[in-house]
Amino acid sequence: MVATIEANPSVLLDEKKITVAELIILELLLEIDAMDDALGTAWQPIAHASDLSPVDLFAKQPYSELADVLKIWQDAFEWSYYDEVLAGIQISSQRQAQTPTPKIAHSFQAMFCIDERECSIRRHVEQVDAQCETFGTPGFFSVEFFFSPQNAQFYEKLCPAPVTPNYLIKEYNVTRPRPHDVFYTSKTHLALTGYLSAFTFGFWAIVKLVKDLFKPKMAPAISNAFAVMQPNSKLTIENNSLSDTARQWLANWLCGRRNGHPCTRGLAK
């Protein structure tokens, strides 16, 4: 996770600059602290009892013929599996081409997002109803984008983790206020209000936790796409002008908030 964030900080809603090297240093400091707590000063680093010089883990590795040999062996090992899979797919395709599938009136069709749950769900649905037809498709339908709900503070990344969004889709014309959970108010970030809210919200949070254990129900903090979307809301699908960028949209939105009306500018690429 840290390596991914180091390479692409935009995977976090609140971007932070962290590196794998910093994580390793922090981990080692925590281990040293644990050793000091358990043994005091009656311990020494392993390096003191070894004649080997320490290895720079972050130094660039020089080229060697051994690395090329290992790479060739790794490629050969992987392709031995790929060849078997591709050959099986080819044979199966030839058999299907020789035996045409009769046309069946499907009871229904369903599309599922490609993830670790998709295959098992599709197999179960097709086992329950043999007349249905299911499809697997990327959930973002090959449109990599950030989504910005109206009056939202952060953009939501709606595409797979390795993909960097190129588009920004914004929501506007929302007429019904969205519910908010009082426990997630920004007032808790301040010194005085944070101190007071710890006693007021803290006790109420315990009561609410016990209540939800015996009688769970939907809440604003629960991820529910149907509760967020509204029938009357609209999404921008194209630029309204050359100045219709994400930075300009945010400036207009802040200006609109000061003047008491929302901004409904459009899409930025």
Side-chain angles (χ1 to χ4, degrees):
M1 181 183 295
V2 174
T4 301
I5 296 174
E6 180 181 0
N8 186 13
S10 62
V11 299
L12 297 177
L13 292 176
D14 188 9
E15 294 186 10
K16 298 183 182 298
K17 294 182 179 180
I18 57 178
T19 64
V20 176
E22 293 173 346
L23 174 65
I24 294 176
I25 293 173
L26 175 62
E27 188 76 24
L28 294 175
L29 290 175
L30 292 175
E31 292 184 7
I32 292 174
D33 185 68
M35 295 289 291
D36 289 338
D37 182 68
L39 303 176
T41 59
W43 69 279
Q44 290 184 343
I46 298 177
H48 288 183
S50 174
D51 297 332
L52 300 176
S53 58
V55 178
D56 187 359
L57 299 177
F58 303 102
K60 292 185 177 180
Q61 295 297 321
Y63 169 79
S64 65
E65 186 177 356
L66 176 61
D68 286 341
V69 174
L70 294 177
K71 181 177 181 300
I72 294 173
W73 274 107
Q74 181 67 30
D75 289 340
F77 174 74
E78 293 181 359
W79 273 105
S80 64
Y81 172 75
Y82 297 153
D83 288 338
E84 293 179 1
V85 174
L86 295 175
I89 295 176
Q90 185 178 15
I91 295 174
S92 177
S93 301
Q94 294 175 354
R95 291 177 179 176
Q96 292 180 359
Q98 296 174 358
T99 306
T101 304
K103 294 184 179 180
I104 302 175
H106 298 290
S107 57
F108 67 90
Q109 294 177 322
M111 300 178 67
F112 296 88
C113 177
I114 299 176
D115 60 11
E116 64 277 4
R117 304 161 297 177
E118 176 238 359
C119 182
S120 59
I121 294 177
R122 289 179 59 187
R123 287 176 180 270
H124 177 73
V125 171
E126 293 175 352
Q127 183 179 7
V128 173
D129 186 354
Q131 302 299 322
C132 73
E133 186 177 21
T134 63
F135 301 92
T137 179
F140 67 112
F141 297 99
S142 300
V143 180
E144 64 284 0
F145 65 95
F146 286 112
F147 176 66
S148 175
Q150 184 168 321
N151 299 335
Q153 185 177 2
F154 299 106
Y155 296 155
E156 298 179 14
K157 181 182 177 183
L158 299 182
C159 59
V163 180
T164 301
N166 291 322
Y167 305 95
L168 175 61
I169 297 180
K170 298 189 177 75
E171 178 190 35
Y172 66 97
N173 198 34
V174 176
T175 57
R176 184 180 61 189
R178 292 189 177 92
H180 295 277
D181 199 323
V182 67
F183 298 111
Y184 296 97
T185 175
S186 59
K187 302 297 183 182
T188 58
H189 300 169
L190 304 177
L192 179 60
T193 56
Y195 177 79
L196 297 175
S197 63
F199 293 96
T200 55
F201 294 159
F203 290 111
W204 173 242
I206 297 176
V207 176
K208 187 175 182 296
L209 175 62
V210 176
K211 181 181 178 182
D212 290 341
L213 288 176
F214 295 96
K215 191 178 180 181
K217 63 178 183 179
M218 296 299 298
I222 297 178
S223 179
N224 183 7
F226 293 101
V228 175
M229 299 302 297
Q230 297 187 22
N232 296 328
S233 64
K234 297 181 181 180
L235 302 177
T236 55
I237 58 175
E238 62 183 358
N239 287 49
N240 295 327
S241 66
L242 294 177
S243 62
D244 205 4
T245 61
R247 183 175 297 178
Q248 183 64 37
W249 181 89
L250 181 59
N252 294 338
W253 181 81
L254 293 174
C255 179
R257 292 285 291 180
R258 297 190 188 100
N259 296 333
H261 58 82
C263 175
T264 58
R265 298 301 296 272
L267 174 72
K269 179 178 179 181

